[in-house]
Amino acid sequence: MDPQTYMDVATVVTKLKMYPYFDIAHYTLMCIAVREDVLPQQGSSTPSVPFSRKHPLSSWLSSMLICFAGSIIANMLLGEPLITPFKDHQSILTATAVWYLVNYSPFDLVYKLAKFLPVKLAICVLKETQRAHKVYHGVLVAAKLYPSSYLVIIMVGTLKGAGSGLMKNFDRLIRGIWIPGNNEILQPSFATKASLVASIVFLCERLNLIAVPHPLIYFGIVLFFVYFKISSVVLGIHDPFVPLENLFCAIFCGGMWDALRRAASKEPTKEEENKDPRNDVIKSKDEKKKD
Amino acid sequence: MDPQTYMDVATVVTKLKMYPYFDIAHYTLMCIAVREDVLPQQGSSTPSVPFSRKHPLSSWLSSMLICFAGSIIANMLLGEPLITPFKDHQSILTATAVWYLVNYSPFDLVYKLAKFLPVKLAICVLKETQRAHKVYHGVLVAAKLYPSSYLVIIMVGTLKGAGSGLMKNFDRLIRGIWIPGNNEILQPSFATKASLVASIVFLCERLNLIAVPHPLIYFGIVLFFVYFKISSVVLGIHDPFVPLENLFCAIFCGGMWDALRRAASKEPTKEEENKDPRNDVIKSKDEKKKD
Amino acid sequence: MDPQTYMDVATVVTKLKMYPYFDIAHYTLMCIAVREDVLPQQGSSTPSVPFSRKHPLSSWLSSMLICFAGSIIANMLLGEPLITPFKDHQSILTATAVWYLVNYSPFDLVYKLAKFLPVKLAICVLKETQRAHKVYHGVLVAAKLYPSSYLVIIMVGTLKGAGSGLMKNFDRLIRGIWIPGNNEILQPSFATKASLVASIVFLCERLNLIAVPHPLIYFGIVLFFVYFKISSVVLGIHDPFVPLENLFCAIFCGGMWDALRRAASKEPTKEEENKDPRNDVIKSKDEKKKD
């Protein structure tokens, strides 16, 4: 692609309107996530009656909270009314229609269609584009409210992009599920980490630390999101940040000192060898991904 | 009753002051609910020491949160200070006095009196009148803040009328009890559903969709609340909405399509017959009511 | 000490700047508390890999929430943005540095140093001075916002002084730990009770009920905090309020009536004697302290 075409495409992507197609893709993925997030013992075999049949209200509210999780949590942190997303009838009605189709369509057609690989890939591409849009606007909003609070700006940007993860514990509670040992901060997903990186990039752009035209940065972030999402769906590479994290942990989060301490103690017993923290970090992270 | 008398009574009911009698009735029922909401294993036999003796602070805060649950949750959603109900010394002192009498009166006199059927009925009538008042003022407040956001208006009205249900999980946590599989959204109580209906009626009135004088609508809602509460206390009819809900679920929430799918599959095995979702919905709802 | 010297010392204490030494002492104690708050089964033997190695993000966020718990909860109740503490880069960076040193210092030097009794005592003295400062400023802020709401003023003062206790349940959830049967309201710690007393004293001072110069009151509160903290660390006296509480419970919270009722029932069986509520209250409280 010659640079001018690339720049043109980037400018178009920057000005894309999210409603309706990108938002619908987002709502679809969120409603499917809610539908599939059942207790392991319930999910092991197909349950006799799906949750959406037994508890429509809980299923609806839970889906809405996840669809608008980023706004709700960001509003809470910024002291705005939590109910703001429910003011916008158009979004709520669209999300409700998507929720209805995902859960109650005849012969489960919409759900099966959305799980069909080519369709799923298209939805994911739309959703990741919307994620970039949300991160960027989160950074804009926070930077307007707190211009010099970089940490706040990054946190709001990340939340807008990946709020559904943080909302998950509370959202499960609405559906009567409670898994305290599992949350987004304990085991951050790739979406959260990528949103964090994107927030930092957008913040650097605002601070004029990156001398690249805005459409290029924005389009780069979109491509970054889309690329890793597709590789996750198609190739099963869930988290390309893991090696970097392990390196970071080994250097800064005690790995080096633990190794030094082991070296200092004269006779490392067998047990201590088994307790090599760095291996454990890598192992435990890998195990989590597989679960 | 001739129409003029009815209209006069309705006007009087519309202008009733809630403090002190109606509020006291509300606080009494809430404090009793907190007192009786103990863990099943603790409640099976009379526990040696009641919770209120062991943990007065927890019992008091828990009762206050339930007494003012509607305001607290509505304030949270609307971005107002959560602490607002604690500003009003008169209400807090009244609620504290009620809490004290319910939990620590000599020979448990107040508690036993409040559980005595005729007294209980009187308290319930007062409480349901107060509920109508709270729903109406919730709708008024929300409609002033967000005039065209119908969903927000209905949610705030419902919350003001039946906030204690939503607060229950959090409130139990303060008393050291945690039952994640049970919440108001999963199994909405009749009070919540009735508040929802009342909110919708008041909203329709605001939108001039109901051409009936305001006192009549308000009095009608009060009668509706009182009638079903009394039939629940005296006759044990807990939820007159269940048949409507089952019909709604059967038509819109998948029942019809599930039936079609079963009809489409040629040989329904015995297992599939047992899995008839519509029956299950009805059964599971009935079971919940009995529990 | 002659009165003039005492007054001079008190005036100096009143005008002490909290940053950096007092704040660092506070952050150190909070980070140590988070580090040591692991599940009992994990903590029984030294776990193979410490939590901070496996989940640095969770450990950091958890420590930050506890360090700024008072502000966050007070902001929530007063309807201010929850994120405000994260605006102040200096505090966050200091707290992060302390968190890093406590968790990852070479050979665990900082942690071991902070646990060494003389150092621990010095840190505790600094921390209790900071607590008095925070309670006083909490009372000031709340009294400016709600001048005549005494309950709100006392609540905000207490929260500012002992917010970490209330945050604990939520904070544990971030680290994947959930112990619903244990919270600050169910079993208030001495820090919470002392902050409550200090808030009441500062409120009385504002209402001109105490005719003593402000520096003396402030210094008195500081001495009160420091004295009981040192006696708790050195002598193991954890809660000097317990006898007062038991007396209060016996008189006002049912103990007297329960005794009367037992006296009224003609034949107290052996079981009933064992169930003497007053003894149980004392026993259960003592047992809790020992745990």
Side-chain angles (χ1 to χ4, degrees), chain A residues 48-49 51 53 55-58 61 76 81-83 86-87 89 92 100 104 106-107 173-176 178, chain B residues 76-79 146 148-152 169 178 180-181 183 185-186 252-254 257-258 261 275 280-281 288:
Chain A
S48 56
V49 186
F51 184 80
R53 259 67 169 173
H55 303 290
L57 175 68
S58 168
L61 190 68
M76 190 170 178
L82 300 192
I83 216 164
F86 290 88
K87 271 169 65 185
H89 286 168
I92 285 284
Y100 188 83
Y104 303 113
F107 303 97
L173 183 56
I174 286 178
R175 280 177 280 123
W178 186 246
Chain B
M76 189 170 179
L77 294 187
L78 297 173
Y146 304 106
S148 58
S149 311
Y150 306 142
L151 188 61
V152 171
N169 277 48
W178 186 247
N183 69 53
I185 293 158
L186 216 52
F252 296 108
C253 294
W257 297 116
D258 291 343
R261 193 174 47 190
K275 279 180 194 164
D280 272 16
V281 170
K288 255 156 242 154

Side-chain angles (χ1 to χ4, degrees), chain C residues 11-23:
Chain C
T11 313
V12 168
V13 169
T14 311
K15 290 179 182 160
L16 277 175
K17 282 197 176 170
M18 286 303 112
Y19 188 83
Y21 303 113
F22 296 89
D23 283 346

Side-chain angles (χ1 to χ4, degrees), chain C residues 175-187:
Chain C
R175 281 178 280 122
I177 304 176
W178 185 246
I179 310 173
N182 180 299
N183 69 54
E184 194 63 19
I185 291 158
L186 215 53
Q187 293 117 15

Side-chain angles (χ1 to χ4, degrees), chain C residues 254-285:
Chain C
M256 210 166 65
W257 296 117
D258 291 344
L260 262 178
R261 193 173 49 189
R262 274 196 312 281
S265 67
K266 282 154 206 166
E267 294 176 283
T269 58
K270 265 196 177 177
E271 275 174 39
E272 272 176 313
E273 274 167 356
N274 291 337
K275 278 178 193 165
D276 183 346
R278 254 187 305 180
N279 293 348
D280 272 16
V281 171
I282 299 164
K283 268 184 216 160
S284 64
K285 288 209 172 162

Side-chain angles (χ1 to χ4, degrees), chain A residues 14-285:
Chain A
T14 311
K15 289 180 182 161
L16 276 174
K17 281 198 174 167
M18 286 303 113
Y19 188 83
Y21 303 113
F22 296 88
D23 283 346
I24 286 177
H26 169 64
Y27 301 149
T28 308
L29 287 177
M30 292 296 115
C31 289
I32 289 176
V34 167
R35 181 179 155 158
E36 288 177 350
D37 182 43
V38 286
L39 274 180
Q41 65 268 35
Q42 291 185 326
S44 58
S45 67
T46 325
S48 56
V49 186
F51 184 80
S52 58
R53 259 67 169 173
K54 271 193 193 160
H55 303 290
L57 175 68
S58 168
S59 165
W60 176 77
L61 190 68
S62 177
S63 301
M64 291 305 109
L65 284 184
I66 283 287
C67 284
F68 302 99
S71 305
I72 293 173
I73 300 180
N75 283 342
M76 190 170 178
L77 293 187
L78 298 173
E80 311 271 321
L82 300 192
I83 216 164
T84 311
F86 290 88
K87 271 169 65 185
D88 180 2
H89 286 168
Q90 199 187 40
S91 307
I92 285 284
L93 287 179
T94 313
T96 303
V98 169
W99 163 79
Y100 188 83
L101 288 173
V102 165
N103 284 290
Y104 303 113
S105 64
F107 303 97
D108 231 0
L109 214 70
V110 173
Y111 177 74
K112 281 172 188 161
L113 198 70
K115 300 290 281 186
F116 179 55
L117 193 61
V119 180
K120 193 179 174 186
L121 279 181
I123 294 178
C124 284
V125 169
L126 292 177
K127 199 248 135 73
E128 296 301 318
T129 313
Q130 199 234 21
R131 193 193 298 279
H133 180 90
K134 275 159 86 183
V135 172
Y136 180 63
H137 282 84
V139 168
L140 276 194
V141 167
K144 208 181 281 174
L145 287 169
Y146 305 107
S148 58
S149 311
Y150 306 141
L151 187 61
V152 172
I153 296 173
I154 291 171
M155 282 169 96
V156 173
T158 311
L159 272 174
K160 285 268 185 180
S164 59
L166 273 171
M167 185 63 104
K168 206 161 59 183
N169 278 47
F170 181 70
D171 190 68
R172 277 180 180 154
L173 183 56
I174 286 178
R175 280 177 280 123
I177 304 175
W178 186 246
I179 310 172
N182 180 297
N183 70 52
E184 193 65 19
I185 293 158
L186 216 53
Q187 293 117 16
S189 66
F190 176 71
T192 307
K193 291 175 200 164
S195 298
L196 180 69
V197 170
S199 300
I200 295 173
V201 170
F202 285 133
L203 177 63
C204 289
E205 190 204 349
R206 263 194 91 78
L207 301 174
N208 296 318
L209 297 174
I210 306 177
V212 175
H214 170 64
L216 287 189
I217 295 176
Y218 188 91
F219 191 43
I221 293 287
V222 170
L223 287 182
F224 164 71
F225 281 158
V226 168
Y227 175 79
F228 282 109
K229 184 73 193 179
I230 289 178
S231 63
S232 155
V233 171
V234 179
L235 305 173
I237 298 162
H238 283 305
D239 198 340
F241 287 145
V242 166
L244 288 175
E245 277 169 36
N246 288 333
L247 189 67
F248 179 86
C249 282
I251 297 177
F252 294 108
C253 294
M256 210 164 67
W257 297 116
D258 290 344
L260 261 177
R261 194 175 46 188
R262 274 195 312 280
S265 67
K266 281 153 204 165
E267 295 177 281
T269 59
K270 266 198 177 177
E271 276 175 36
E272 272 177 312
E273 273 167 356
N274 291 337
K275 281 180 193 165
D276 185 344
R278 256 187 304 179
N279 293 349
D280 272 16
V281 171
I282 298 164
K283 268 184 215 161
S284 64
K285 288 208 174 165

Side-chain angles (χ1 to χ4, degrees), chain B residues 159-175:
Chain B
L159 272 174
K160 286 267 183 177
S164 60
L166 273 170
M167 186 64 102
K168 207 161 60 185
N169 277 48
F170 181 69
D171 190 69
R172 277 180 180 153
L173 182 56
I174 286 178
R175 282 177 280 124

Side-chain angles (χ1 to χ4, degrees), chain B residues 18 36 42 53 99 208 223 271 281 287:
Chain B
M18 286 303 114
E36 288 178 349
Q42 293 184 323
R53 260 69 172 172
W99 162 79
N208 297 318
L223 287 183
E271 275 173 37
V281 170
E287 275 163 22

